[in-house]
mmCIF file of all heavy atoms in Angstrom:
data_model
loop_
_atom_site.group_PDB
_atom_site.id
_atom_site.type_symbol
_atom_site.label_atom_id
_atom_site.label_comp_id
_atom_site.label_asym_id
_atom_site.label_seq_id
_atom_site.Cartn_x
_atom_site.Cartn_y
_atom_site.Cartn_z
ATOM 1 N N ASP F 28 -35.655 41.047 -6.545
ATOM 2 C CA ASP F 28 -35.903 41.932 -5.512
ATOM 3 C C ASP F 28 -34.896 41.498 -4.356
ATOM 4 O O ASP F 28 -35.236 40.607 -3.508
ATOM 5 C CB ASP F 28 -37.396 41.725 -4.987
ATOM 6 C CG ASP F 28 -37.781 42.540 -3.866
ATOM 7 O OD1 ASP F 28 -37.071 43.384 -3.593
ATOM 8 O OD2 ASP F 28 -38.766 42.111 -3.276
ATOM 9 N N THR F 29 -33.725 42.013 -4.395
ATOM 10 C CA THR F 29 -32.773 41.767 -3.235
ATOM 11 C C THR F 29 -31.940 42.820 -3.010
ATOM 12 O O THR F 29 -31.997 43.925 -3.761
ATOM 13 C CB THR F 29 -32.002 40.496 -3.679
ATOM 14 O OG1 THR F 29 -31.231 40.111 -2.580
ATOM 15 C CG2 THR F 29 -30.910 40.796 -4.787
ATOM 16 N N TRP F 33 -28.627 42.238 2.231
ATOM 17 C CA TRP F 33 -29.270 40.913 2.618
ATOM 18 C C TRP F 33 -28.295 39.825 2.173
ATOM 19 O O TRP F 33 -28.074 38.888 3.005
ATOM 20 C CB TRP F 33 -30.525 40.845 1.786
ATOM 21 C CG TRP F 33 -31.323 39.736 2.411
ATOM 22 C CD1 TRP F 33 -32.291 39.749 3.318
ATOM 23 C CD2 TRP F 33 -31.251 38.245 2.008
ATOM 24 N NE1 TRP F 33 -32.887 38.371 3.476
ATOM 25 C CE2 TRP F 33 -32.202 37.598 2.820
ATOM 26 C CE3 TRP F 33 -30.478 37.509 1.050
ATOM 27 C CZ2 TRP F 33 -32.366 36.179 2.702
ATOM 28 C CZ3 TRP F 33 -30.602 36.206 1.021
ATOM 29 C CH2 TRP F 33 -31.524 35.499 1.745
ATOM 30 N N ARG F 37 -26.671 37.417 4.911
ATOM 31 C CA ARG F 37 -27.246 36.080 4.945
ATOM 32 C C ARG F 37 -26.239 34.951 4.404
ATOM 33 O O ARG F 37 -26.455 33.712 4.692
ATOM 34 C CB ARG F 37 -28.476 36.035 4.340
ATOM 35 C CG ARG F 37 -29.587 36.881 4.889
ATOM 36 C CD ARG F 37 -30.042 36.355 6.232
ATOM 37 N NE ARG F 37 -31.138 37.165 6.708
ATOM 38 C CZ ARG F 37 -32.307 36.819 6.951
ATOM 39 N NH1 ARG F 37 -32.676 35.501 6.893
ATOM 40 N NH2 ARG F 37 -33.224 37.694 7.474
ATOM 41 N N THR F 38 -25.290 35.281 3.447
ATOM 42 C CA THR F 38 -24.579 34.339 2.924
ATOM 43 C C THR F 38 -23.075 34.414 2.767
ATOM 44 O O THR F 38 -22.280 33.657 2.818
ATOM 45 C CB THR F 38 -24.864 34.144 1.374
ATOM 46 O OG1 THR F 38 -24.531 35.309 0.646
ATOM 47 C CG2 THR F 38 -26.431 34.128 1.158
ATOM 48 N N CYS F 114 -22.717 19.005 -3.976
ATOM 49 C CA CYS F 114 -21.602 19.667 -3.401
ATOM 50 C C CYS F 114 -20.531 18.859 -2.682
ATOM 51 O O CYS F 114 -19.449 19.290 -2.398
ATOM 52 C CB CYS F 114 -22.264 20.671 -2.280
ATOM 53 S SG CYS F 114 -23.173 21.923 -3.271
ATOM 54 N N ARG F 153 -34.981 34.760 -6.411
ATOM 55 C CA ARG F 153 -33.988 35.361 -5.652
ATOM 56 C C ARG F 153 -33.397 34.547 -4.532
ATOM 57 O O ARG F 153 -32.371 34.928 -3.965
ATOM 58 C CB ARG F 153 -34.663 36.692 -5.033
ATOM 59 C CG ARG F 153 -35.698 36.395 -3.895
ATOM 60 C CD ARG F 153 -36.169 37.574 -3.251
ATOM 61 N NE ARG F 153 -37.144 37.356 -2.419
ATOM 62 C CZ ARG F 153 -37.512 38.232 -1.479
ATOM 63 N NH1 ARG F 153 -37.174 39.596 -1.435
ATOM 64 N NH2 ARG F 153 -38.363 37.830 -0.482
ATOM 65 N N THR F 154 -34.094 33.355 -4.200
ATOM 66 C CA THR F 154 -33.639 32.626 -3.058
ATOM 67 C C THR F 154 -32.456 31.788 -3.504
ATOM 68 O O THR F 154 -31.688 31.198 -2.658
ATOM 69 C CB THR F 154 -34.683 31.770 -2.488
ATOM 70 O OG1 THR F 154 -35.070 30.648 -3.407
ATOM 71 C CG2 THR F 154 -36.012 32.624 -2.101
ATOM 72 N N ILE F 157 -28.625 34.087 -5.950
ATOM 73 C CA ILE F 157 -27.611 34.812 -5.391
ATOM 74 C C ILE F 157 -26.521 34.024 -4.831
ATOM 75 O O ILE F 157 -25.402 34.476 -4.518
ATOM 76 C CB ILE F 157 -28.220 35.584 -4.144
ATOM 77 C CG1 ILE F 157 -28.915 34.485 -3.301
ATOM 78 C CG2 ILE F 157 -29.222 36.740 -4.563
ATOM 79 C CD1 ILE F 157 -29.027 34.889 -1.729
ATOM 80 N N LEU F 158 -26.675 32.703 -4.975
ATOM 81 C CA LEU F 158 -25.721 31.724 -4.170
ATOM 82 C C LEU F 158 -24.656 31.202 -5.055
ATOM 83 O O LEU F 158 -23.447 31.151 -4.489
ATOM 84 C CB LEU F 158 -26.609 30.495 -3.608
ATOM 85 C CG LEU F 158 -27.630 30.865 -2.522
ATOM 86 C CD1 LEU F 158 -28.472 29.616 -2.278
ATOM 87 C CD2 LEU F 158 -26.960 31.353 -1.275
ATOM 88 N N LEU F 192 -33.360 19.688 -2.245
ATOM 89 C CA LEU F 192 -32.299 20.344 -3.094
ATOM 90 C C LEU F 192 -32.086 19.497 -4.290
ATOM 91 O O LEU F 192 -31.378 18.515 -4.225
ATOM 92 C CB LEU F 192 -30.967 20.565 -2.230
ATOM 93 C CG LEU F 192 -29.778 21.152 -2.988
ATOM 94 C CD1 LEU F 192 -30.157 22.385 -3.792
ATOM 95 C CD2 LEU F 192 -28.748 21.435 -1.958
ATOM 96 N N GLN F 217 -34.464 24.632 -4.271
ATOM 97 C CA GLN F 217 -33.829 24.417 -2.925
ATOM 98 C C GLN F 217 -34.864 24.940 -1.835
ATOM 99 O O GLN F 217 -35.412 26.049 -1.939
ATOM 100 C CB GLN F 217 -32.558 25.065 -2.775
ATOM 101 C CG GLN F 217 -32.018 25.062 -1.279
ATOM 102 C CD GLN F 217 -30.662 25.531 -1.130
ATOM 103 O OE1 GLN F 217 -29.661 24.706 -0.872
ATOM 104 N NE2 GLN F 217 -30.422 26.906 -1.345
ATOM 105 N N GLY F 219 -34.350 26.273 1.286
ATOM 106 C CA GLY F 219 -33.140 26.831 1.846
ATOM 107 C C GLY F 219 -32.956 26.613 3.290
ATOM 108 O O GLY F 219 -31.907 26.226 3.771
ATOM 109 N N GLN F 220 -34.032 26.927 4.112
ATOM 110 C CA GLN F 220 -33.946 26.851 5.606
ATOM 111 C C GLN F 220 -33.687 25.507 5.966
ATOM 112 O O GLN F 220 -32.921 25.245 6.867
ATOM 113 C CB GLN F 220 -35.284 27.277 6.139
ATOM 114 C CG GLN F 220 -35.085 28.775 6.660
ATOM 115 C CD GLN F 220 -36.363 29.240 7.555
ATOM 116 O OE1 GLN F 220 -36.968 28.289 8.124
ATOM 117 N NE2 GLN F 220 -36.720 30.368 7.337
ATOM 118 N N VAL F 222 -32.306 22.929 4.264
ATOM 119 C CA VAL F 222 -30.872 22.603 3.921
ATOM 120 C C VAL F 222 -29.994 23.241 4.837
ATOM 121 O O VAL F 222 -28.954 22.723 5.244
ATOM 122 C CB VAL F 222 -30.689 22.967 2.396
ATOM 123 C CG1 VAL F 222 -29.209 22.617 2.048
ATOM 124 C CG2 VAL F 222 -31.771 22.304 1.550
ATOM 125 N N PHE F 223 -30.258 24.435 5.111
ATOM 126 C CA PHE F 223 -29.305 25.264 6.020
ATOM 127 C C PHE F 223 -29.137 24.505 7.412
ATOM 128 O O PHE F 223 -28.024 24.315 7.906
ATOM 129 C CB PHE F 223 -29.921 26.703 6.357
ATOM 130 C CG PHE F 223 -28.961 27.528 7.050
ATOM 131 C CD1 PHE F 223 -27.937 28.245 6.504
ATOM 132 C CD2 PHE F 223 -29.096 27.602 8.385
ATOM 133 C CE1 PHE F 223 -27.118 29.035 7.381
ATOM 134 C CE2 PHE F 223 -28.427 28.466 9.208
ATOM 135 C CZ PHE F 223 -27.299 29.193 8.644
ATOM 136 N N ALA F 226 -27.298 21.351 6.954
ATOM 137 C CA ALA F 226 -25.853 21.591 6.592
ATOM 138 C C ALA F 226 -25.033 21.992 7.900
ATOM 139 O O ALA F 226 -23.931 21.448 8.046
ATOM 140 C CB ALA F 226 -25.838 22.644 5.444
ATOM 141 N N HIS F 254 -16.654 23.471 2.396
ATOM 142 C CA HIS F 254 -17.495 23.771 1.294
ATOM 143 C C HIS F 254 -18.108 25.183 1.447
ATOM 144 O O HIS F 254 -18.324 25.598 2.497
ATOM 145 C CB HIS F 254 -18.562 22.762 1.076
ATOM 146 C CG HIS F 254 -19.556 23.063 0.055
ATOM 147 N ND1 HIS F 254 -19.251 23.283 -1.210
ATOM 148 C CD2 HIS F 254 -20.954 23.209 0.045
ATOM 149 C CE1 HIS F 254 -20.227 23.577 -1.886
ATOM 150 N NE2 HIS F 254 -21.373 23.540 -1.193
ATOM 151 N N ALA F 256 -20.754 27.152 0.940
ATOM 152 C CA ALA F 256 -22.237 27.407 0.554
ATOM 153 C C ALA F 256 -22.898 28.493 1.230
ATOM 154 O O ALA F 256 -23.640 29.274 0.762
ATOM 155 C CB ALA F 256 -23.037 26.118 0.907
ATOM 156 N N ASN F 257 -22.226 28.833 2.415
ATOM 157 C CA ASN F 257 -22.903 29.996 3.142
ATOM 158 C C ASN F 257 -21.884 30.246 4.383
ATOM 159 O O ASN F 257 -21.551 29.240 5.162
ATOM 160 C CB ASN F 257 -24.345 29.561 3.864
ATOM 161 C CG ASN F 257 -24.889 30.910 4.501
ATOM 162 O OD1 ASN F 257 -24.287 31.599 5.220
ATOM 163 N ND2 ASN F 257 -26.187 30.896 4.200
ATOM 164 N N ARG F 259 -22.249 31.542 7.208
ATOM 165 C CA ARG F 259 -22.772 31.111 8.544
ATOM 166 C C ARG F 259 -22.644 29.676 8.823
ATOM 167 O O ARG F 259 -22.411 29.201 9.896
ATOM 168 C CB ARG F 259 -24.218 31.578 8.645
ATOM 169 C CG ARG F 259 -24.532 33.072 8.640
ATOM 170 C CD ARG F 259 -25.843 33.424 8.819
ATOM 171 N NE ARG F 259 -26.707 33.143 7.642
ATOM 172 C CZ ARG F 259 -27.938 32.680 7.661
ATOM 173 N NH1 ARG F 259 -28.634 32.533 8.719
ATOM 174 N NH2 ARG F 259 -28.640 32.485 6.447
ATOM 175 N N ILE F 260 -22.752 28.792 7.684
ATOM 176 C CA ILE F 260 -22.519 27.314 7.977
ATOM 177 C C ILE F 260 -20.997 27.175 8.196
ATOM 178 O O ILE F 260 -20.598 26.362 9.153
ATOM 179 C CB ILE F 260 -22.878 26.482 6.596
ATOM 180 C CG1 ILE F 260 -24.295 26.819 6.338
ATOM 181 C CG2 ILE F 260 -22.662 25.065 6.867
ATOM 182 C CD1 ILE F 260 -24.860 26.195 5.010
ATOM 183 N N ASN F 284 -20.996 29.813 -4.350
ATOM 184 C CA ASN F 284 -21.009 28.363 -4.267
ATOM 185 C C ASN F 284 -20.758 27.788 -5.608
ATOM 186 O O ASN F 284 -21.644 27.798 -6.469
ATOM 187 C CB ASN F 284 -22.358 27.895 -3.652
ATOM 188 C CG ASN F 284 -22.289 26.401 -3.465
ATOM 189 O OD1 ASN F 284 -21.430 25.616 -3.952
ATOM 190 N ND2 ASN F 284 -23.361 25.901 -2.814
ATOM 191 N N PHE F 312 -21.187 19.650 2.650
ATOM 192 C CA PHE F 312 -22.601 19.308 2.918
ATOM 193 C C PHE F 312 -23.278 19.638 1.506
ATOM 194 O O PHE F 312 -22.961 20.697 1.061
ATOM 195 C CB PHE F 312 -23.281 19.909 4.006
ATOM 196 C CG PHE F 312 -24.612 19.339 4.239
ATOM 197 C CD1 PHE F 312 -24.810 18.342 5.062
ATOM 198 C CD2 PHE F 312 -25.719 19.806 3.480
ATOM 199 C CE1 PHE F 312 -26.166 17.741 5.190
ATOM 200 C CE2 PHE F 312 -27.007 19.220 3.646
ATOM 201 C CZ PHE F 312 -27.268 18.184 4.505
ATOM 202 N N GLY F 313 -24.125 18.703 1.039
ATOM 203 C CA GLY F 313 -24.784 19.124 -0.222
ATOM 204 C C GLY F 313 -26.022 18.342 -0.558
ATOM 205 O O GLY F 313 -26.347 17.419 0.235
HETATM 206 O O1 UT7 I 1 -24.274 23.842 -1.185
HETATM 207 C C1 UT7 I 1 -25.484 23.087 -1.071
HETATM 208 C C2 UT7 I 1 -26.102 23.286 0.125
HETATM 209 N N1 UT7 I 1 -26.684 24.399 0.214
HETATM 210 C C3 UT7 I 1 -26.637 25.188 1.325
HETATM 211 O O2 UT7 I 1 -25.981 24.854 2.205
HETATM 212 C C4 UT7 I 1 -27.613 26.402 1.445
HETATM 213 C C5 UT7 I 1 -28.354 26.398 2.625
HETATM 214 N N2 UT7 I 1 -29.244 27.547 2.783
HETATM 215 C C6 UT7 I 1 -28.900 28.826 2.949
HETATM 216 O O3 UT7 I 1 -27.767 29.176 2.929
HETATM 217 C C7 UT7 I 1 -29.911 29.841 3.437
HETATM 218 O O4 UT7 I 1 -31.112 29.100 3.832
HETATM 219 C C8 UT7 I 1 -30.294 30.842 2.349
HETATM 220 C C9 UT7 I 1 -29.127 31.790 2.127
HETATM 221 C C10 UT7 I 1 -30.707 30.148 0.954
HETATM 222 C C11 UT7 I 1 -31.526 31.732 2.822
HETATM 223 O O5 UT7 I 1 -31.114 32.248 4.074
HETATM 224 P P1 UT7 I 1 -32.159 32.189 5.317
HETATM 225 O O6 UT7 I 1 -31.505 33.017 6.374
HETATM 226 O O7 UT7 I 1 -32.407 30.747 5.451
HETATM 227 O O8 UT7 I 1 -33.390 32.972 4.734
HETATM 228 P P2 UT7 I 1 -34.907 32.439 4.645
HETATM 229 O O9 UT7 I 1 -35.006 31.436 3.500
HETATM 230 O O10 UT7 I 1 -35.325 31.999 5.964
HETATM 231 O O11 UT7 I 1 -35.670 33.754 4.233
HETATM 232 C C12 UT7 I 1 -35.762 34.852 5.110
HETATM 233 C C13 UT7 I 1 -36.386 36.010 4.525
HETATM 234 C C14 UT7 I 1 -37.735 35.511 3.641
HETATM 235 O O12 UT7 I 1 -38.748 36.633 3.818
HETATM 236 P P3 UT7 I 1 -39.910 36.536 4.942
HETATM 237 O O13 UT7 I 1 -40.648 35.282 4.602
HETATM 238 O O14 UT7 I 1 -39.168 36.497 6.147
HETATM 239 O O15 UT7 I 1 -40.665 37.795 4.533
HETATM 240 C C15 UT7 I 1 -37.371 35.518 2.212
HETATM 241 O O16 UT7 I 1 -38.389 35.535 1.263
HETATM 242 O O17 UT7 I 1 -35.601 36.575 3.374
HETATM 243 C C16 UT7 I 1 -36.422 36.569 2.075
HETATM 244 N N3 UT7 I 1 -35.425 36.267 0.948
HETATM 245 C C17 UT7 I 1 -34.770 37.330 0.528
HETATM 246 N N4 UT7 I 1 -34.640 38.680 0.713
HETATM 247 C C18 UT7 I 1 -33.873 39.430 -0.021
HETATM 248 C C19 UT7 I 1 -34.995 35.145 0.464
HETATM 249 N N5 UT7 I 1 -34.033 35.408 -0.444
HETATM 250 C C20 UT7 I 1 -33.877 36.806 -0.392
HETATM 251 C C21 UT7 I 1 -33.050 37.597 -1.180
HETATM 252 N N6 UT7 I 1 -33.101 38.914 -0.939
HETATM 253 N N7 UT7 I 1 -32.208 37.169 -2.200
#
Side-chain angles (χ1 to χ4, degrees):
D28 180 17
T29 192
W33 192 96
R37 297 289 179 122
T38 72
C114 295
R153 69 173 183 171
T154 68
I157 54 152
L158 297 169
L192 176 51
Q217 175 171 251
Q220 262 190 29
V222 178
F223 183 85
H254 173 54
N257 188 315
R259 291 183 289 147
I260 300 172
N284 183 352
F312 186 93

